[in-house]
Amino acid sequence: MDSSHKPRTFSPNLFFFFLLVSSNLLTFFICNTFKNSSCALFQQTYNAIANVSSLNTAIPLVVEPAANRGDDVQESNKPAADLDLPSEFLAFTSPHKLPFGFSRNFDSDEIIPPVGHPCTRFPDLLRHYMSYRVNGSCPDDELLAQKLLLKGCEPLPRRRCRPAAQKEYVEPYPFPEGLWRVPSDSSVVWTAYACKNYECLINRKTQKGFDDCKDCFDLNGREKNRWLSTKGAGLDFSIDEVLAVKNPGTIRTGLDIGGGVATFAVRMRERNITILTTSMNLNGPFNTFIASRGVIPLYISISQRLPFFDNTLDIVHSMHVLSNWIPTTLLHFLFFDIYRVLRPGGLFWLDHFFCVSEQFEQLYVPLIESIGFNKVKWVVGRKLDRGPELNEMYLSALLEKPLKNSW
């Protein structure tokens, strides 16, 4: 009687064992045959996250930088998949599943955080940048971050650490006093700069050698009178002259590209107009200085797509920055991006664009005219600050995006 019951007990177990083995074999076959399948993506994400240490302030460095590594880092041409990328970089850039599943806004059930594609072309620099204690303090590495950014790693990957800051921070001057007061030295982490205080930055205008915007930090010098009056053979438009082109109150928001210490934005704020200023920190704390004045800095390069929606800004201004040092095709893209963010009827103030005389008529006039702007003001003059033998030209132009049929 006992023997008659044994087959009935053994058969279901054997059947379920067969199902288990078969399903695992089938999964293994699918994951290795179809490399882009969801299980492969999950495995990549799991591997990236598994390498990250537990979230506490006592953990060791997530990625140890190579010993005695110098700044002379070689560019890598390997595909990103073949590079030994930092685990924190992978933890950030890998697909992240949305907690509540599929979202119609994202048209996906996951988020893939953006970083500049060239980031992976410089794995040594990236490894240094992503080496830190999670939940701890970031390295004091402003120069490294800017080097990556200017190499095209833009936007930079986010990090899970606190940025370097002064131990004793002094509150900024109140508005409107702060618009024209040099801030306290304690507002800046000076490690990345040759000067270690604002007095040094102000005095470097009298020193030999080149620095970007050399006299900008002296708010009682040339900055005090910029854009207040028309001069310079008509090349220097005044702000009030430009605003008079439009109906009062219709210029409200805008952008200044490469705006130094944001004096243009300050002048506009005095007229109740909000201007954001893009600037890099080229041997000077430009972004910190801008913020201390009470206006808004944007830490992006001229290669970055402007972070504004189409047809939204009233005015875009740029002085000296947009010129013949920029590769022509990149400049063409940039001019179209300015056209994109300006609303119909918006103004592009191209302030002291410079190039060699031969380039002007043959290259840059056709390039600018191809964008589709209407010419409101167009003044050409000689650029003589480096000597007449260079045969350089200035163009100051006020261009308007057509109010009708701008598309």
Side-chain angles (χ1 to χ4, degrees):
M1 297 203 31
D2 292 341
S3 61
S4 62
H5 292 284
K6 287 180 182 178
R8 294 180 183 178
T9 306
F10 180 73
S11 296
N13 291 339
L14 182 61
F15 175 72
F16 287 125
F17 177 76
F18 174 77
L19 283 179
L20 179 63
V21 172
S22 300
S23 61
N24 282 324
L25 287 173
L26 180 61
T27 302
F28 178 80
F29 171 77
I30 293 173
C31 287
N32 283 275
T33 303
F34 306 101
K35 297 297 183 182
N36 294 324
S37 65
S38 59
C39 58
L41 288 174
F42 174 79
Q43 188 63 38
Q44 294 169 11
T45 307
Y46 175 80
N47 290 340
I49 296 173
N51 290 329
V52 180
S53 302
S54 301
L55 299 181
N56 61 73
T57 56
I59 61 175
L61 287 176
V62 175
V63 181
E64 290 286 351
N68 301 321
R69 192 188 306 273
D71 287 334
D72 187 15
V73 180
Q74 297 296 317
E75 178 180 348
S76 174
N77 292 318
K78 293 181 180 179
D82 296 336
L83 296 174
D84 181 20
L85 297 174
S87 58
E88 270 293 271
F89 178 78
L90 295 174
F92 174 64
T93 58
S94 297
H96 295 263
K97 291 291 183 181
L98 292 170
F100 301 106
F102 181 85
S103 167
R104 285 185 294 178
N105 292 333
F106 289 96
D107 193 27
S108 176
D109 63 350
E110 63 188 16
I111 293 177
I112 302 178
V115 293
H117 177 263
C119 292
T120 58
R121 295 176 63 182
F122 305 96
D124 286 353
L125 290 176
L126 187 63
R127 189 172 293 107
H128 274 288
Y129 182 70
M130 298 303 291
S131 297
Y132 56 87
R133 299 180 186 276
V134 175
N135 285 352
S137 297
C138 299
D140 185 358
D141 57 0
E142 180 183 332
L143 281 177
L144 171 63
Q146 184 162 268
K147 181 182 288 188
L148 268 171
L149 192 148
L150 290 175
K151 286 181 177 292
C153 183
E154 187 177 27
L156 288 165
R158 285 177 171 168
R159 300 196 291 189
R160 296 185 286 184
C161 56
R162 291 179 286 276
Q166 288 280 31
K167 292 182 179 179
E168 299 291 336
Y169 185 87
V170 176
E171 292 281 352
Y173 294 110
F175 178 84
E177 180 185 359
L179 294 176
W180 293 101
R181 287 284 301 270
V182 175
S184 166
D185 292 337
S186 70
S187 62
V188 179
V189 177
W190 294 95
T191 314
Y193 313 115
C195 282
K196 304 304 178 185
N197 53 58
Y198 278 121
E199 183 180 3
C200 172
L201 287 173
I202 292 170
N203 291 332
R204 73 180 181 182
K205 65 183 179 181
T206 62
Q207 300 168 1
K208 294 182 179 180
F210 173 80
D211 278 296
D212 189 62
C213 207
K214 194 170 183 177
D215 60 349
C216 286
F217 293 95
D218 183 8
L219 297 183
N220 290 315
R222 288 202 303 172
E223 293 296 305
K224 197 72 174 179
N225 298 308
R226 287 194 192 275
W227 301 291
L228 290 183
S229 61
T230 302
K231 58 182 185 301
L235 288 164
D236 297 310
F237 305 159
S238 72
I239 284 179
D240 292 331
E241 175 188 6
V242 169
L243 294 180
V245 169
K246 308 298 291 185
N247 291 329
T250 58
I251 301 295
R252 305 149 301 165
T253 61
L255 175 70
D256 190 15
I257 299 175
V261 294
T263 295
F264 180 82
V266 167
R267 290 288 181 210
M268 290 298 229
R269 180 165 183 179
E270 292 170 338
R271 292 158 175 78
N272 295 319
I273 298 168
T274 300
I275 300 291
L276 277 66
T277 304
T278 77
S279 186
M280 302 302 298
N281 291 334
L282 299 176
N283 201 20
F286 288 91
N287 281 268
T288 306
F289 192 85
I290 291 169
S292 295
R293 298 185 76 181
V295 287
I296 303 171
L298 279 180
Y299 187 52
I300 61 173
S301 75
I302 55 96
S303 301
Q304 173 79 304
R305 186 178 193 263
L306 298 176
F308 306 102
F309 191 64
D310 303 355
N311 305 309
T312 51
L313 300 184
D314 299 316
I315 189 169
V316 174
H317 171 264
S318 184
M319 183 175 184
H320 291 306
V321 174
L322 304 185
S323 293
N324 67 345
W325 70 271
I326 301 175
T328 305
T329 301
L330 183 59
L331 187 65
H332 202 198
F333 273 106
L334 179 51
F335 282 156
F336 265 107
D337 205 24
I338 292 169
Y339 187 91
R340 176 185 65 82
V341 300
L342 282 171
R343 63 165 175 82
L347 298 175
F348 175 31
W349 182 353
L350 185 58
D351 197 348
H352 286 76
F353 175 94
F354 61 86
C355 63
V356 178
S357 179
E358 293 77 13
Q359 297 176 314
F360 182 69
E361 292 292 345
Q362 297 175 13
L363 179 60
Y364 291 112
V365 170
L367 187 148
I368 294 170
E369 290 178 343
S370 73
I371 310 301
F373 288 110
N374 296 327
K375 294 179 182 178
V376 180
K377 292 179 179 292
W378 185 275
V379 180
V380 179
R382 297 193 68 188
K383 183 178 185 291
L384 301 172
D385 58 316
R386 298 199 301 168
E389 65 278 2
L390 294 179
N391 200 23
E392 292 180 314
M393 304 294 294
Y394 270 135
L395 167 67
S396 285
L398 187 61
L399 308 171
E400 183 184 47
K401 184 173 180 176
L403 194 60
K404 299 180 179 179
N405 300 319
S406 65
W407 184 21

